[in-house]
Amino acid sequence: MSDLLVSVLFSSYNGASRRLRHTLDSLVRQELPHDRWELIAVDNNSNDGTFDLLQTYSDKLPIIILQQRKPGKSGALNMALDRVKGDLIVFTDDDVRAEPNWLKAIVDCAAAHPSYGVFGGRIVPEWEKEPRDRFIEWIPMGSTFAIVDDTQSGPCDPTKVWGPNTIVRRELLGTSVRYREDIGPLPGKIFAMGEDAEIIIRLAANGANSYRCAEAVVHHWIPASSVTEDWIQKRGERLGYGMPALFPDEVPGGVRLSGVPLPTWIESAQWAFRAAMLYLMPRSKKRFWAIWKYYYMRGYRAGIRRYVSQTMTQ
């Protein structure tokens, strides 16, 4: 086994009320010896028993517990990044169940491929209730549920490295590369998705190569309340809201109306018309996507107003 040290990071907002205990239990069962890794868990302004639950694992895990009172996942992870000691930084979530060989597989993969700086493991769904509705086949599993169920290891596009199983060599981050705190989950409001993708895209632009380690597996919890057409369609609004932050160069230039480029208004109107025409029709893939795109474009317009200045599109 390689002598690479590992730092595992996650933030948790009210995780004790959800799946945090399952995540911690899966980390207890890791095959990698405790002297080879550390866990930095950030209680992000929780108002349940998250901090107390984390403390109960102090004698079971090599854990460092931090508290971040300012709401926001990205800021919480930045706090954790300032404390890491590992050669490899593993970002995950508080609602995963890691396979026992997860960290060992990550270390072995990174040691075997020293020319790669970013690694993405396999993320498989752990459904609260197995979906049987046909619409589940229509949705983008990656952007909706952060699922990457590719069983083949090898070089991969950086946009296919997803949050709950993201690994970065610490040397690439240094003391300055951090999450953008204007992107990422915030309680009680619409937020821009893509904080994990943004930092990986930035590293790729600086020359970091990405590799998929299919042997490193986590199971991502998906509650039954999230497996409805309405929930998934409205989630498209968050995705659209984050796109201008991740890809500002793709925002059309030219004339703006109410801060939004005219071509974006035209595309939005086209999808709104399709959604309205199909709304009362029987369920179908075409109907599903028209409504999803309507919400996506609504978020995209709001994202342009927030993240892309007028001068950037000229």
Side-chain angles (χ1 to χ4, degrees), residues 48 98 207 243 307:
D48 65 355
M243 286 298 101
Y307 294 109

Side-chain angles (χ1 to χ4, degrees), residues 11-13 65 70 86 100 129 137 148 153 157 163 173 196 198-199 219 235 248-249 256 275 304:
S11 73
S12 184
Y13 169 68
I65 305 168
K70 180 182 178 182
K129 182 179 180 181
E137 301 175 359
V148 183
S153 295
D157 190 288
L173 299 176
D196 304 300
E198 191 279 333
I199 198 169
H219 303 256
R235 186 171 175 81
D249 293 342
R256 287 195 180 198
I304 290 173

Side-chain angles (χ1 to χ4, degrees), residues 284-300:
S284 67
K285 185 175 182 179
K286 183 181 292 186
R287 177 187 181 275
F288 173 87
W289 272 106
I291 297 171
W292 189 94
K293 284 289 291 188
Y294 162 76
Y295 282 108
Y296 175 90
M297 294 305 299
R298 187 164 77 173
Y300 191 67

Side-chain angles (χ1 to χ4, degrees), residues 79-155:
M79 173 184 279
L81 280 171
D82 290 337
R83 296 285 299 272
V84 296
K85 298 178 181 178
D87 305 296
L88 300 173
I89 301 176
V90 179
F91 299 97
T92 191
D93 287 343
D94 66 347
D95 59 354
V96 303
R97 177 174 58 84
E99 290 286 344
N101 71 334
W102 178 51
L103 293 180
K104 182 178 182 300
I106 287 171
V107 169
D108 291 346
C109 185
H113 303 283
S115 63
Y116 291 86
V118 173
F119 302 86
R122 187 176 168 209
I123 307 168
V124 298
E126 184 160 333
W127 307 100
E128 179 181 19
K129 182 179 180 181
E130 187 73 26
R132 301 187 183 280
D133 200 304
R134 62 177 180 173
F135 89 89
I136 203 70
E137 301 175 359
W138 305 337
I139 68 173
M141 295 295 285
S143 59
T144 304
F145 297 127
I147 300 303
V148 183
D149 196 7
D150 193 325
T151 59
Q152 296 298 315
S153 295

Side-chain angles (χ1 to χ4, degrees), residues 143-194:
S143 59
T144 304
F145 297 127
I147 300 303
V148 183
D149 196 7
D150 193 325
T151 59
Q152 296 298 315
S153 295
C156 69
D157 190 288
T159 62
K160 300 303 180 183
V161 177
W162 293 88
N165 205 353
T166 296
I167 303 97
V168 180
R169 294 189 191 273
R170 185 173 62 150
E171 64 198 53
L172 296 182
L173 299 176
T175 60
S176 60
V177 179
R178 295 294 183 265
Y179 281 88
R180 280 181 55 176
E181 296 188 16
D182 60 341
I183 308 175
L186 289 168
K189 62 176 71 174
I190 185 173
F191 59 83
M193 292 172 56

Side-chain angles (χ1 to χ4, degrees), residues 7 14 25 32 44 46 50 69 95 138 155 160 196 198 214 217 224 233 235 257 266 303:
S7 294
N14 288 345
D25 286 343
L32 193 69
N44 185 205
S46 299
T50 292
R69 294 302 184 188
D95 59 354
W138 305 337
K160 300 303 180 183
D196 304 300
E198 191 279 333
V217 181
Q233 287 162 342
R235 186 171 175 81
L257 300 175
I266 293 172

